Amino acid sequence: MSQREWIEKDFYKELGISSSASQDEVKKAYRKLARDLHPDANPGDTKAEERFKAVSEAHAVLSDPAKRKEYDETRKLFAGGGYPRGGFTPGGGGGFSQEFNIGDIFGGAATGDGGLGDLLGGLFNRGGARTTSRPRRGADVETETTLGFREAAQGVTVPLRMTSPSPCTTCHGSGAKPGTSPRVCPNCNGSGVVSRNQGAFGFSEPCDECRGSGSIIDDPCVDCHGSGIQNRTRTITVRIPPGVSDGQRIRLAGQGEAGLRGAPSGDLFVTVHVSQDKVFGRNGDDLTLVLPVSYAELVLGTTVSVPTLEGRVGVKVPPGTADGRILRVRGRGVPKRGGGAGDLLVTVKVAVPQKLDSDAVDALERYQKAERSSGFDPRAGWAGA
Ligand SMILES: [Zn+2]
Ligand SMILES: [Zn+2]
């Protein structure tokens, strides 16, 4: 028989005994039921026949101490929230389907009294082994932040606000109004699962009354609406290294949630968004910049002061520089991880005047004539085309 079947079948209920029944009580309960339900005593009664099979199956496991122990442990592990097909949500908390996932999700979410892992463990592992109270590494935390272009390039220290679930401080995680406490669900006796027999098969489904939690809260806590969970916000200061690019995910070791019982903390993963800059662009470690120049500057050559991440630098435009040429200034780009920096790539781009006074127009017309007589033909390369 599979673990899955064990999880879904309540053998104690099948025999009408409690989970603490002695081996003798198991035997007695089985004998009585087997006698009552035996096919010989109920000819043609298919329901009785199914029950007889189910009771025999329950007895086969519970009468064997080793099997019973294994069965009990399996059920404990999956009790309540452990319905493996999912669809169960503790108090609207959001889609956990297995008890041990709850531990994974929250990890050491709560560093205070008991912790949410303990709380949920206590809630779902009714009387069972507190599997959640062993030391466990804290959960990894994901967050994101938006940096200015220069901040990202140069590195920055930013405060990050993070929200994570933790036990409600008002009800200490019970979900019940202070002064009241949750009661065991009478429909499922606290197991969170109810068995049904249909055709030849017995199967289990999450209890409707308690939505699989095993307990009922008559007077929900007003602050957490009965979920026992509150989102706690904390702010930490994080050093973002220089040179991060848009969309990059940075791992900050040990900055996640604290571990339970002295276990190491989880990691913090920060996805960085980088906003655009009016002047600079980036190409890996290289900083890019478009430098507007006049036609005369390109022809005659000049030195232009351009901004960098730190101060300014003089960029020499040689005489006869073509429009669109990229001039490289070494070491004035984005800082690199291992030291040093990329380059500053300056693209020259002619700015054409939209309006000139008559003196300038006259001069330009004279220049145009002189240019032709000096033999310059911008479309010389098209000869014959
Ligand atoms: Zn129930
Ligand atoms: Zn509460």
Side-chain angles (χ1 to χ4, degrees), residues 168-176 221-230:
C168 171
T169 50
T170 307
C171 61
H172 301 288
S174 76
C221 165
V222 290
D223 290 323
C224 62
H225 308 287
S227 69
I229 296 164
Q230 268 181 341

PDB file of all heavy atoms in Angstrom, residues 168-176 221-230, ligand 2:
ATOM      1  N   CYS A 168       0.894  36.787  14.038  1.00  0.00           N
ATOM      2  CA  CYS A 168       0.164  37.982  14.455  1.00  0.00           C
ATOM      3  C   CYS A 168       0.527  38.294  15.903  1.00  0.00           C
ATOM      4  O   CYS A 168       0.507  37.424  16.763  1.00  0.00           O
ATOM      5  CB  CYS A 168      -1.328  37.719  14.302  1.00  0.00           C
ATOM      6  SG  CYS A 168      -2.350  38.996  15.018  1.00  0.00           S
ATOM      7  N   THR A 169       0.879  39.552  16.165  1.00  0.00           N
ATOM      8  CA  THR A 169       1.293  39.903  17.522  1.00  0.00           C
ATOM      9  C   THR A 169       0.103  40.001  18.477  1.00  0.00           C
ATOM     10  O   THR A 169       0.255  39.856  19.679  1.00  0.00           O
ATOM     11  CB  THR A 169       2.040  41.256  17.531  1.00  0.00           C
ATOM     12  OG1 THR A 169       1.254  42.202  16.809  1.00  0.00           O
ATOM     13  CG2 THR A 169       3.395  41.135  16.876  1.00  0.00           C
ATOM     14  N   THR A 170      -1.083  40.236  17.917  1.00  0.00           N
ATOM     15  CA  THR A 170      -2.264  40.373  18.768  1.00  0.00           C
ATOM     16  C   THR A 170      -2.687  39.030  19.363  1.00  0.00           C
ATOM     17  O   THR A 170      -2.960  38.910  20.552  1.00  0.00           O
ATOM     18  CB  THR A 170      -3.419  40.983  17.964  1.00  0.00           C
ATOM     19  OG1 THR A 170      -2.966  42.190  17.367  1.00  0.00           O
ATOM     20  CG2 THR A 170      -4.626  41.269  18.844  1.00  0.00           C
ATOM     21  N   CYS A 171      -2.746  38.001  18.498  1.00  0.00           N
ATOM     22  CA  CYS A 171      -3.243  36.688  18.960  1.00  0.00           C
ATOM     23  C   CYS A 171      -2.098  35.690  19.106  1.00  0.00           C
ATOM     24  O   CYS A 171      -2.339  34.520  19.341  1.00  0.00           O
ATOM     25  CB  CYS A 171      -4.283  36.154  17.991  1.00  0.00           C
ATOM     26  SG  CYS A 171      -3.629  35.890  16.328  1.00  0.00           S
ATOM     27  N   HIS A 172      -0.856  36.157  18.937  1.00  0.00           N
ATOM     28  CA  HIS A 172       0.319  35.288  19.000  1.00  0.00           C
ATOM     29  C   HIS A 172       0.195  34.118  18.041  1.00  0.00           C
ATOM     30  O   HIS A 172       0.639  33.010  18.324  1.00  0.00           O
ATOM     31  CB  HIS A 172       0.566  34.798  20.431  1.00  0.00           C
ATOM     32  CG  HIS A 172       0.765  35.938  21.386  1.00  0.00           C
ATOM     33  ND1 HIS A 172       1.899  36.702  21.402  1.00  0.00           N
ATOM     34  CD2 HIS A 172      -0.078  36.482  22.297  1.00  0.00           C
ATOM     35  CE1 HIS A 172       1.774  37.662  22.308  1.00  0.00           C
ATOM     36  NE2 HIS A 172       0.581  37.560  22.853  1.00  0.00           N
ATOM     37  N   GLY A 173      -0.455  34.380  16.918  1.00  0.00           N
ATOM     38  CA  GLY A 173      -0.487  33.379  15.859  1.00  0.00           C
ATOM     39  C   GLY A 173      -1.616  32.365  15.939  1.00  0.00           C
ATOM     40  O   GLY A 173      -1.763  31.538  15.050  1.00  0.00           O
ATOM     41  N   SER A 174      -2.430  32.428  16.997  1.00  0.00           N
ATOM     42  CA  SER A 174      -3.491  31.421  17.098  1.00  0.00           C
ATOM     43  C   SER A 174      -4.643  31.721  16.155  1.00  0.00           C
ATOM     44  O   SER A 174      -5.394  30.829  15.777  1.00  0.00           O
ATOM     45  CB  SER A 174      -4.014  31.346  18.532  1.00  0.00           C
ATOM     46  OG  SER A 174      -4.850  32.467  18.797  1.00  0.00           O
ATOM     47  N   GLY A 175      -4.792  32.993  15.763  1.00  0.00           N
ATOM     48  CA  GLY A 175      -5.911  33.381  14.899  1.00  0.00           C
ATOM     49  C   GLY A 175      -7.176  33.650  15.688  1.00  0.00           C
ATOM     50  O   GLY A 175      -8.156  34.148  15.145  1.00  0.00           O
ATOM     51  N   ALA A 176      -7.170  33.313  16.973  1.00  0.00           N
ATOM     52  CA  ALA A 176      -8.354  33.516  17.811  1.00  0.00           C
ATOM     53  C   ALA A 176      -8.210  34.822  18.591  1.00  0.00           C
ATOM     54  O   ALA A 176      -7.103  35.216  18.954  1.00  0.00           O
ATOM     55  CB  ALA A 176      -8.522  32.350  18.770  1.00  0.00           C
ATOM     56  N   CYS A 221      -9.466  36.718  15.547  1.00  0.00           N
ATOM     57  CA  CYS A 221      -8.676  37.897  15.913  1.00  0.00           C
ATOM     58  C   CYS A 221      -8.945  38.982  14.873  1.00  0.00           C
ATOM     59  O   CYS A 221      -8.931  38.716  13.676  1.00  0.00           O
ATOM     60  CB  CYS A 221      -7.202  37.500  15.915  1.00  0.00           C
ATOM     61  SG  CYS A 221      -6.059  38.884  15.934  1.00  0.00           S
ATOM     62  N   VAL A 222      -9.220  40.200  15.336  1.00  0.00           N
ATOM     63  CA  VAL A 222      -9.588  41.257  14.386  1.00  0.00           C
ATOM     64  C   VAL A 222      -8.400  41.747  13.563  1.00  0.00           C
ATOM     65  O   VAL A 222      -8.564  42.242  12.460  1.00  0.00           O
ATOM     66  CB  VAL A 222     -10.267  42.471  15.078  1.00  0.00           C
ATOM     67  CG1 VAL A 222     -11.650  42.094  15.576  1.00  0.00           C
ATOM     68  CG2 VAL A 222      -9.405  43.008  16.208  1.00  0.00           C
ATOM     69  N   ASP A 223      -7.213  41.575  14.105  1.00  0.00           N
ATOM     70  CA  ASP A 223      -6.055  42.121  13.400  1.00  0.00           C
ATOM     71  C   ASP A 223      -5.573  41.261  12.238  1.00  0.00           C
ATOM     72  O   ASP A 223      -5.030  41.758  11.271  1.00  0.00           O
ATOM     73  CB  ASP A 223      -4.909  42.376  14.379  1.00  0.00           C
ATOM     74  CG  ASP A 223      -5.237  43.536  15.315  1.00  0.00           C
ATOM     75  OD1 ASP A 223      -5.876  44.492  14.836  1.00  0.00           O
ATOM     76  OD2 ASP A 223      -4.879  43.474  16.496  1.00  0.00           O
ATOM     77  N   CYS A 224      -5.755  39.947  12.362  1.00  0.00           N
ATOM     78  CA  CYS A 224      -5.278  39.076  11.277  1.00  0.00           C
ATOM     79  C   CYS A 224      -6.448  38.339  10.635  1.00  0.00           C
ATOM     80  O   CYS A 224      -6.241  37.472   9.795  1.00  0.00           O
ATOM     81  CB  CYS A 224      -4.247  38.089  11.795  1.00  0.00           C
ATOM     82  SG  CYS A 224      -4.910  36.977  13.049  1.00  0.00           S
ATOM     83  N   HIS A 225      -7.661  38.659  11.041  1.00  0.00           N
ATOM     84  CA  HIS A 225      -8.869  38.025  10.497  1.00  0.00           C
ATOM     85  C   HIS A 225      -8.827  36.508  10.632  1.00  0.00           C
ATOM     86  O   HIS A 225      -9.315  35.786   9.771  1.00  0.00           O
ATOM     87  CB  HIS A 225      -9.104  38.426   9.043  1.00  0.00           C
ATOM     88  CG  HIS A 225      -9.081  39.926   8.856  1.00  0.00           C
ATOM     89  ND1 HIS A 225     -10.113  40.731   9.286  1.00  0.00           N
ATOM     90  CD2 HIS A 225      -8.135  40.741   8.346  1.00  0.00           C
ATOM     91  CE1 HIS A 225      -9.796  41.994   9.027  1.00  0.00           C
ATOM     92  NE2 HIS A 225      -8.607  42.024   8.463  1.00  0.00           N
ATOM     93  N   GLY A 226      -8.188  36.040  11.689  1.00  0.00           N
ATOM     94  CA  GLY A 226      -8.206  34.608  11.963  1.00  0.00           C
ATOM     95  C   GLY A 226      -7.093  33.815  11.307  1.00  0.00           C
ATOM     96  O   GLY A 226      -6.956  32.624  11.546  1.00  0.00           O
ATOM     97  N   SER A 227      -6.284  34.469  10.498  1.00  0.00           N
ATOM     98  CA  SER A 227      -5.233  33.703   9.822  1.00  0.00           C
ATOM     99  C   SER A 227      -4.057  33.412  10.749  1.00  0.00           C
ATOM    100  O   SER A 227      -3.298  32.478  10.533  1.00  0.00           O
ATOM    101  CB  SER A 227      -4.720  34.467   8.599  1.00  0.00           C
ATOM    102  OG  SER A 227      -4.004  35.615   9.015  1.00  0.00           O
ATOM    103  N   GLY A 228      -3.905  34.227  11.788  1.00  0.00           N
ATOM    104  CA  GLY A 228      -2.762  34.061  12.686  1.00  0.00           C
ATOM    105  C   GLY A 228      -1.484  34.634  12.107  1.00  0.00           C
ATOM    106  O   GLY A 228      -0.428  34.567  12.710  1.00  0.00           O
ATOM    107  N   ILE A 229      -1.592  35.175  10.903  1.00  0.00           N
ATOM    108  CA  ILE A 229      -0.398  35.649  10.205  1.00  0.00           C
ATOM    109  C   ILE A 229      -0.517  37.140   9.898  1.00  0.00           C
ATOM    110  O   ILE A 229      -1.557  37.610   9.469  1.00  0.00           O
ATOM    111  CB  ILE A 229      -0.207  34.860   8.891  1.00  0.00           C
ATOM    112  CG1 ILE A 229       0.045  33.387   9.193  1.00  0.00           C
ATOM    113  CG2 ILE A 229       0.931  35.436   8.062  1.00  0.00           C
ATOM    114  CD1 ILE A 229      -0.132  32.482   8.008  1.00  0.00           C
ATOM    115  N   GLN A 230       0.540  37.837  10.132  1.00  0.00           N
ATOM    116  CA  GLN A 230       0.590  39.254   9.783  1.00  0.00           C
ATOM    117  C   GLN A 230       1.823  39.485   8.940  1.00  0.00           C
ATOM    118  O   GLN A 230       2.816  38.792   9.099  1.00  0.00           O
ATOM    119  CB  GLN A 230       0.772  40.087  11.054  1.00  0.00           C
ATOM    120  CG  GLN A 230      -0.506  40.557  11.680  1.00  0.00           C
ATOM    121  CD  GLN A 230      -0.196  41.392  12.911  1.00  0.00           C
ATOM    122  OE1 GLN A 230       0.879  41.336  13.486  1.00  0.00           O
ATOM    123  NE2 GLN A 230      -1.173  42.166  13.325  1.00  0.00           N
TER     124      GLN A 230
HETATM  125 ZN    ZN B   2      -4.295  37.737  15.080  1.00  0.00          ZN
END
